[in-house]
């Protein structure tokens, strides 16, 4: 559900130790927030924007991509793809969104544009179209980079736009999957979102972590006709914090 009122309307910050910045939206209206305009490194939450750009660029999920040495050597999190292996674009997208695999992300990025600068321009254009006025994206896979920044409000806009794409919505809700290379090597991987299957009603969405960004999370949960969006940047204990915050938000519905 889209936000129907300004984040300024959020009434309080009952979780000041949760993250450097967060916003929780219940049924389209901000409920709680902390420093929502603070611009921080977004880590792998960036991959949602990369996915939108890739899907809008002559997308062919069955196209074979050759993993470069650069992609294979990309730092974790990764699947362990090997230089010279071939994977489909669809499999690379799934690994990027489900496992947040950086080697799959880099392989996908290399196939989608002649260079990173070209893709960065398209990401900037797409972010502007979403109204992400406080955001600048430098690395398509979300690695820390000078000048890269976003806010929880901008990332909420991104998350809602990404979730409106059926393929992305299906992938981020997938607990585990398998990639098969052209040579037949099978790689199984699990979703990095530990709320899936553990917190009732969770249907996504994306995790991120870097040394500068800290623990980042976008969570989307639906229960009994109500929905909660939670975006946090710079967290330290995101799983139990998010679990408690989301449950508390739904409790405000039953207490009305």
């Amino acid at each position: 559900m889209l936000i129907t009122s300004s984040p300024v309307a959020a009434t309080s910050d009952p979780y000041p130790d949760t993250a450097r910045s967060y916003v929780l939206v219940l049924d389209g209206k901000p409920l709680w927030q902390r420093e929502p305009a603070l611009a921080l490194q977004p880590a792998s939450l960036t991959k949602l924007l990369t996915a939108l750009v890739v899907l809008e660029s002559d997308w062919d999920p069955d196209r074979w991509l050759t993993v470069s040495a650069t992609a294979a050597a990309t730092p974790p999190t990764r699947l362990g793809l090997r230089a010279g292996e071939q994977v489909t674009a669809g499999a690379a997208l799934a690994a990027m969104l489900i496992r947040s695999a950086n080697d799959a992300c880099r392989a996908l990025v290399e196939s989608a544009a002649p260079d990173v600068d070209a893709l960065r321009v398209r990401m900037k254009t797409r972010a502007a179209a979403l109204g992400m006025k406080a955001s600048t994206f430098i690395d398509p896979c979300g690695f820390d980079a000078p000048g890269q920044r976003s806010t929880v409000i901008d990332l909420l806009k991104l998350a809602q736009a990404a979730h409106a794409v059926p393929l992305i919505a299906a992938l981020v809700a997938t607990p585990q999957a398998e990639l098969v290379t052209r040579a037949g090597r099978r790689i199984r991987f699990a979703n990095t979102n530990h709320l899936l299957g553990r917190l009732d009603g969770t249907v996504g969405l994306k995790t991120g972590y870097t040394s500068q960004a800290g623990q980042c999370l976008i969570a989307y949960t639906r229960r009994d006709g109500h929905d909660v969006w939670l975006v946090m940047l710079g967290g330290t204990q995101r799983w139990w914090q998010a679990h408690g915050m989301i449950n508390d938000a739904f409790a405000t519905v039953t207490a009305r």
Side-chain angles (χ1 to χ4, degrees), residues 23-247:
V23 64
L24 185 145
V25 175
L26 171 65
D27 292 339
K29 296 183 179 180
L31 182 62
W32 303 314
Q33 67 180 16
R34 178 174 180 78
E35 300 286 355
L38 182 62
L40 299 167
Q41 293 276 352
S44 286
L45 305 186
T46 302
K47 291 184 173 91
L48 291 174
L49 181 58
T50 300
L52 283 178
V53 170
V54 168
L55 288 173
E56 293 167 355
S57 308
D58 298 320
W59 174 246
D60 178 3
D62 298 321
R63 180 164 55 95
W64 289 101
L65 314 180
T66 300
V67 179
S68 70
T70 299
T74 303
T77 300
R78 60 186 181 187
L79 291 184
L81 297 177
R82 302 165 184 165
E85 282 190 314
Q86 290 187 303
V87 298
T88 65
L93 179 71
M96 181 181 79
L97 292 178
I98 297 171
R99 188 59 187 168
S100 204
N102 291 319
D103 47 1
C105 176
R106 197 63 71 190
L108 196 61
V109 165
E110 290 174 351
S111 74
D115 53 52
V116 173
D117 286 341
L119 187 66
R120 191 179 295 139
V121 170
R122 285 154 58 188
M123 292 175 69
K124 179 179 180 180
T125 300
R126 192 65 176 88
L130 292 172
M132 301 175 69
K133 298 179 180 180
S135 298
T136 301
F137 296 95
I138 306 297
D139 189 285
C141 298
F143 287 106
D144 292 330
Q148 182 161 266
R149 64 188 186 276
S150 191
T151 66
V152 293
I153 298 304
D154 275 5
L155 290 167
L156 179 59
K157 295 174 183 177
L158 171 61
Q160 292 175 332
H163 195 263
V165 178
L167 176 58
I168 294 178
L171 290 174
V172 297
T174 301
Q176 58 184 0
E178 183 179 70
L179 177 151
V180 183
T181 69
R182 195 164 196 170
R185 187 164 76 97
R186 296 178 176 272
I187 306 173
R188 292 192 62 79
F189 52 93
N191 202 309
T192 56
N193 187 349
H194 294 176
L195 297 180
L196 284 173
R198 296 179 175 90
L199 179 63
D200 181 40
T202 299
V203 291
L205 201 83
K206 189 71 188 73
T207 66
Y209 173 81
T210 65
S211 59
Q212 291 185 33
Q215 296 180 7
C216 303
L217 175 67
I218 300 173
Y220 180 40
T221 308
R222 296 193 298 248
R223 295 180 192 170
D224 300 323
H226 300 280
D227 60 14
V228 166
W229 287 91
L230 171 64
V231 183
M232 65 168 64
L233 295 174
T236 55
Q237 300 288 335
R238 61 184 163 186
W239 301 124
W240 69 269
Q241 295 270 21
H243 193 285
M245 292 172 73
I246 292 170
N247 277 337

